[in-house]
Amino acid sequence: MSGTKSGGHADDPFQEGGGSLLRQPKAVWATAGASVVAFMGIGLVDPILPSIARGLHASNSQVSLLFTSYFLITAVAMLVTGFVSSRIGGRRTLLAGLALVVVFAALSGMSGSVGELVGFRAGWGLGNALFVSTSLAVIVGAAAGGSAAAILLYESALGLGMACGPLLGAVLGDMKWRYPFFGTAALMAIGFVAITAFLKEQPRPARKTSLLDPLRALGHGGLASAAVAAFFYNYAFFTVLAFTPFVLDMSPYRSGGVFFAWGVLLAVFSVLVAPRLQHRFGSLKVLGGSLLLLAADLLVLGYGDHTTAVACTVLSGAFIGLNNTVFTELALGVSDAPRPVASAGYNFVRWFAAAAAPFLAPKIEEWTDRHVPFVVAAAAAAVGAGIVAVRRRALTIEAEELEPRHAAQDGVSAFAN
């Protein structure tokens, strides 16, 4: 991904792929629809975290383990998903992931203790990893309009899911904290049926992926730099997602409304604003600037009053949307490794931060006060920006040099940003 104005995918989706973005085969819409629900599952529990804590007589740090177990398993599973999909095919991998989510989401709703719920969320994370690591590859393989249109469609699904997840959690969770889990299981079951009906098996890659291939891909300086920068960014991202609901301490409806607005900004800036800013300023300038703005936003969030905290939570969605898109395209284009392999290594590193932040933020609050977790998150975002600046040469690549090579490869791996 070039650091110049000519960077990568950023400048062509609306000129070339935009006209065909909505004219897609049923298989693409079935996969994209299931992707929306998969991403809904990430933010689903946000508005009901305090309700879960009260219902299961658990502390904030115990309830935050719902995110930690989910993303820890997701991170480790990234080393396995390519191994699985290259052997059984994308369609079967998607269906296996969906089936696991249906089972473990339903079991989550029946949990009798916070320990059970944390364990079932881990199983949910495995299913989600199998699904999201394969969904973009399937969308790219079946979409009309090329990879640029497919990435836009995928980012749209991500944004819509992240926006609607808290809303669904609020509506169902206001009745009972267990209902959002049952609702997700039902929606994913519908996705399973849709993919079974409309998606045909796609050609498997010529070379099977080994378990060590993603780790070997991280030997590339550019990909390793992107992964480490994304690690620090994800710590900041998931401090907002997993810790802020406790700080806001609002009813499920109000908290769901805040995170719905946050998700709308995330979607708009990810799909509409990021490509235009990349085209004008270059990917790395947009990424570095957005990370620094996120850091500033987190500091104000941590030290402001309640109204300010709400406003800064919503505003953070804009910076997170920008970062998600640029990091996704950067990791897709910076390495000459096969895209599924490179993305698995990249995701393996960055998802550990998504597991760490929900666990550490409440602990830091217990050890200090409610301000310090946001200071740590802001520092993490600033470190990410520093890595982008220092490793600029390694992260800069003319996309056209790798595009022919990538175009010949089977699929692109997805990013659960």
Side-chain angles (χ1 to χ4, degrees), residues 79-94 130 134 201-214 216 340-341:
L79 300 180
V80 179
T81 53
F83 177 88
V84 172
S85 64
S86 65
R87 284 161 175 78
I88 68 173
R91 182 176 181 271
R92 291 180 179 176
T93 304
L94 287 181
L130 288 171
T134 312
E201 186 59 81
Q202 295 180 306
R204 300 179 192 179
R207 178 181 174 275
K208 292 181 180 179
T209 301
S210 78
L211 294 175
L212 294 179
D213 281 350
R216 294 191 186 102
V341 173

Side-chain angles (χ1 to χ4, degrees), residues 117-401:
L117 184 53
V118 169
F120 292 143
R121 279 283 285 182
W124 187 340
L126 174 60
N128 217 49
L130 288 171
F131 178 82
V132 301
S133 67
T134 312
S135 58
L136 183 55
V138 170
I139 290 174
V140 167
S147 62
I151 290 173
L152 266 184
L153 190 62
Y154 175 79
E155 293 289 350
S156 300
L158 186 156
L160 185 60
M162 295 296 280
C164 292
L167 204 59
L168 178 67
V171 172
L172 296 179
D174 192 59
M175 295 181 281
K176 196 170 187 178
W177 69 261
R178 300 179 186 274
Y179 291 169
F181 298 109
F182 295 137
T184 300
L187 289 173
M188 284 304 238
I190 294 172
F192 184 96
V193 172
I195 288 178
T196 301
F198 297 119
L199 180 64
K200 296 179 180 179
E201 186 59 81
Q202 295 180 306
R204 300 179 192 179
R207 178 181 174 275
K208 292 181 180 179
T209 301
S210 78
L211 294 175
L212 294 179
D213 281 350
L215 296 179
R216 294 191 186 102
L218 290 170
H220 184 280
L223 183 64
S225 299
V228 174
F231 174 91
F232 287 102
Y233 157 62
N234 269 259
Y235 185 93
F237 176 2
F238 284 93
T239 296
V240 174
L241 194 63
F243 180 66
T244 302
F246 296 116
V247 174
L248 297 181
D249 194 22
M250 304 166 77
S251 69
Y253 269 121
R254 290 186 177 182
S255 182
V258 169
F259 279 95
F260 174 72
W262 169 86
V264 169
L265 273 187
L266 187 153
V268 169
F269 275 75
S270 178
V271 176
L272 300 178
V273 179
R276 290 173 168 82
L277 290 180
Q278 287 175 271
H279 180 51
R280 182 170 182 179
F281 299 108
S283 296
L284 298 187
K285 287 182 180 179
V286 172
L287 184 58
S290 183
L291 286 168
L292 291 176
L293 288 172
L294 177 61
D297 180 79
L298 287 171
L299 287 176
V300 177
L301 193 164
Y303 284 94
D305 59 20
H306 189 268
T307 302
T308 302
V310 169
C312 288
T313 299
V314 174
L315 181 60
S316 70
F319 308 128
I320 289 171
L322 291 174
N323 292 329
N324 282 352
T325 293
V326 181
F327 266 123
T328 296
E329 295 187 353
L330 189 66
L332 285 177
V334 75
S335 171
D336 57 357
R339 280 167 163 167
V341 173
S343 69
Y346 164 82
N347 281 301
F348 172 73
V349 173
R350 75 182 184 109
W351 284 128
F352 277 109
F359 174 75
L360 290 177
K363 289 293 186 183
I364 293 172
E365 181 193 29
E366 292 173 6
W367 299 331
T368 55
D369 57 48
R370 57 156 282 190
H371 308 298
V372 179
F374 293 103
V375 174
V376 174
V383 169
I387 292 171
V388 171
V390 172
R391 298 290 294 168
R392 186 178 190 86
R393 184 176 294 275
L395 290 168
T396 300
I397 189 166
E398 292 299 333
E400 55 267 21
E401 293 178 8

